[in-house]
Structure formats: C-alpha cells, structure tokens
Amino acid sequence: MTIDNFDWEYNLKLIRAGIGTKIGPEFFQACTQYLAQILQIKYALIAEILDTDPPKAKVLAFWSEKGFLPNFEYDLEGTPSSTLYEADVKIYPHSIQELFPEDIHLLNLQAEGYLGIPIIDSHGKKIGHIAGLDTKPLKNSYQEQEYILKIFAARSAAEIERMSAEKALKQQNIYLQETIKKLKKTQSQLIHAEKMSGLGQMVAGVAHEINNPLNFISGNLNHCHNYTKDLLDLIHLFQQKFPNLPADIQEKIEEIELDYVEKDLPSLLGSMILGVNRISEIVKSLRTFSRLDEAKIKLIDIHAGINSTLLILQARLKNQPFEIQVIKNYNQLPFINCYASALNQVLINIINNAIDALEKKFYQNKFTEEQPTICITTKKLENNWMGIYISDNGLGIEEKNHSKIFDPFFTTKPVGKGTGLGLSISYQIIVEQHKGRIKCISSPEKGSEFVIEIPISSVEPFQNYQI
C-alpha cells in the first residue's frame, strides 16, 4: 500500500483496531506508531501544550522507525510546531531545517519534511499538536495526510481532555482529603479529651484491621516458600528422570525462563517478607501511639512513645528539599506512670512545631551550610523526676512572645497554619494531668528548646515490662 494508492477502509479499520480501546500513555504511543506507519514517515509525535511563558510543549509519545524515543519538553518558539497555533494544518514538504534553523531537534533528526495539526479541545482551545517528520521530502498530494491527521487529532483531544479531567478530579480529592484532615485536627484541638479517645479508637481499629490480613499474609509466606520449593524439586526430578523432554514442554520451559524464575523466587519472597515486617512495625507504632489497648494511666517506656511519634512524623522529617536530622540522646529511664496517649499528643505537638520552624528558616535560607536538626534528650532527674528536652535550630521565638506561647489561641503562624491550641493543650496535659512542668527556652534565629519534666511514680525495673 502507498499514499498514492490509499486504501481508506483498510486504514480506518487499522486505526480503530490500534487505538480504539487504549487510554493514557498507551493510547498516545499507539497513535504515533500507527500514524507513522500509515503516512509512511520516519517520525511521529503527540505533544501537549504547557501553561508556561514562553510556551513549551510536553511530548506525550514519540515514535521513530526503530521504536519509541524518550518523552521530553521543548520550547515552541522557533519550531515548525509553533505555526500550528495559527492554522489548522501545516505541511512543509521539504527544506524544513532551512525554514526553521533555530530548531536543533530538526538537525538531530535529520528532518527534511514536516506535517502537523493542532489538537483542539471541546471548547475550541488549542491544547497540543500532532506532528510527523521524515528524512526525505514529502509527496505532493496531501488530502489523505490531512484526513488522517484530523482523525488522530480529534481522538487525541478527547483523550487529553479525559486525562485532564481525571487529574483535576484527583487534585480535588487530594484537596478535599487535606481539608478533612485540617478539620479533624481543629476538632481534636478544640475538644481534646473526646477527640483523643475517638482518634485512639480509630488508630487502633485501623491497626487491627491491617494486622488481620497481615497475619494471614505472613502466615502463608512460609507455606508459599515450601510449596514453591516442592514444585521446583518435582520439576527437577522430572528433568532427571526424563532428560529428553518433548519439544512442546522444552519450549514452555524456555518461554517462562524457568532457570531465571528459580533464581529470582528467593529474592521475591525475601522482598515480600521485608514488606510484611515493615507493615508490622508501622502497626506496632500505631498501637503504641494510640495506647487504646492499655489502661488510661499506664506504666510505659517513654522512649517507645517518642520513637512511635517520630515514625508518625517521618514523612515531614524527610520532606524535600532538605531532610531534618533527628539526634536522640536517650539515657536509661524507668517506666513512668502517665496518660500515655495524652503524652504522645504533647510530643507530636512540640515536634510538629519544631518542624514548622525548621521548614520556615531553611526554606528562606536555601544555601545555608547549617543542617536542620531536632535533638531529643531524656534523663532521670533528682527527687524521682524525669526530663524530656526537645530542641531545634529553627527560627526561634521572639522575647516579647515568650510569656504568651502557652496561652490559648495565641500563635505566630499565618492564618490557616495554626490555631494556637497545640501548646495550650500541651501545657494542660503536662501541668494539670501529670503535675509536671513545661517551659520554652528560645532565641530568635538560633532555635528553641522545650523542657518537659514529669514526676515518676510507682517506678518498676525496665526489664520486667514489655509493650
């Protein structure tokens, strides 16, 4: 088949079969591949226009006669594709490099001929383009090429709009989820006692629900390993007893790459075991954080509570563009008698504030050589007390605000970033619930240190208790 002798029915069937059921990246790849084959050109690409200044195009798929090339972004100015946004179809039969000498991609592809069409959405907006290039001049009859380009452009427009709608929906869902989280956080601060109980039930319930399938998976991994081993042993036995296997069986062995499967299975199972162990650690940390399966007042290991809080906040601690270093100076402590869930809330409030201060400082000073750091120290004090000291090298607190930081609704954060209840609630938990003391030592631009000191009661040896 040639362009001069174009079989419309055959090619339309080819198009429908090739791209009719595909979506996303597979759709765009199929489009470019079939477009190049039908028009008998060397290169075909589909690109989406980005909302940038100057305008750029993002390649969604790029086919060459040897396969797909990597996607990339490029400036539209000075390229033949830029002319598509002034007309419906553009065809440059030859000398494309001479016409657009600034386009280095034309030189790299050794392009001689070019044809393209804009992609227009349902609102009449041009959102991308389809282009074809060849290393030899194009033929002089372009009716068929234009028809094919319009078919692909219409289908591509629908797919880009579908993907944009899907992306917008996901972003909206993310926004709604973030809004829900903020509302839940505000609610937990305003009605702390009730919300902490509900939060504890939710966390413990999630941990329990995760734990059930986790135990099922973990319990069956060993069986999976044994069954796999037995099946492989059986295969080896067959191979020993019947070395001259029938051709169809031998072909199947080669098709499934039996030798590779046998070597890869232990690594595969090992990865699954590591994943199960990781989930188990997270479940344990959630249970430690909620403390719902323990009495309201309980002898606990304070270090386990700190570690579980750090795990909950791990995503923020490792947030880009910088990673916050956490230094733990734990000294030997007995178990302490306390409200475990409430004490965890104090830890998460203070460490969250430290992360906020570090993010603000190190975002403003992107090129500083100082490492953002949170240091957590624990020690046993005289008169049967213990201390927790949480310091950071963040922005610090101005002296005029030192006397207000534990006041309800006082905050130095922008509107929408804080309610001024976290430290107020923390003060109530430490001073009123635990009969302890809490204070903040801070200097502007040098950081802050929160000092938490709690009396120890009913001290028991550490090794006699397990969580």
Side-chain angles (χ1 to χ4, degrees), residues 277-321:
N277 291 339
R278 176 61 177 158
I279 297 172
S280 180
E281 290 175 4
I282 293 173
V283 169
K284 183 179 179 181
S285 294
L286 290 174
R287 292 173 62 86
T288 301
F289 185 78
S290 68
R291 302 283 184 181
L292 197 68
D293 55 346
E294 302 175 357
K296 195 169 186 180
I297 301 177
K298 181 72 175 180
L299 281 169
I300 66 160
D301 173 15
I302 191 66
H303 295 150
I306 296 172
N307 290 337
S308 67
T309 301
L310 291 173
L311 182 62
I312 296 294
L313 295 173
Q314 190 174 37
R316 292 201 68 197
L317 291 168
K318 292 188 176 182
N319 187 29
Q320 297 297 325

Side-chain angles (χ1 to χ4, degrees), residues 6 55 170 215 225 231 269 305 307 369 455:
F6 202 81
K170 288 181 179 179
N215 289 335
H225 179 271
L231 288 172
L269 291 170
N307 290 337
E369 295 180 0

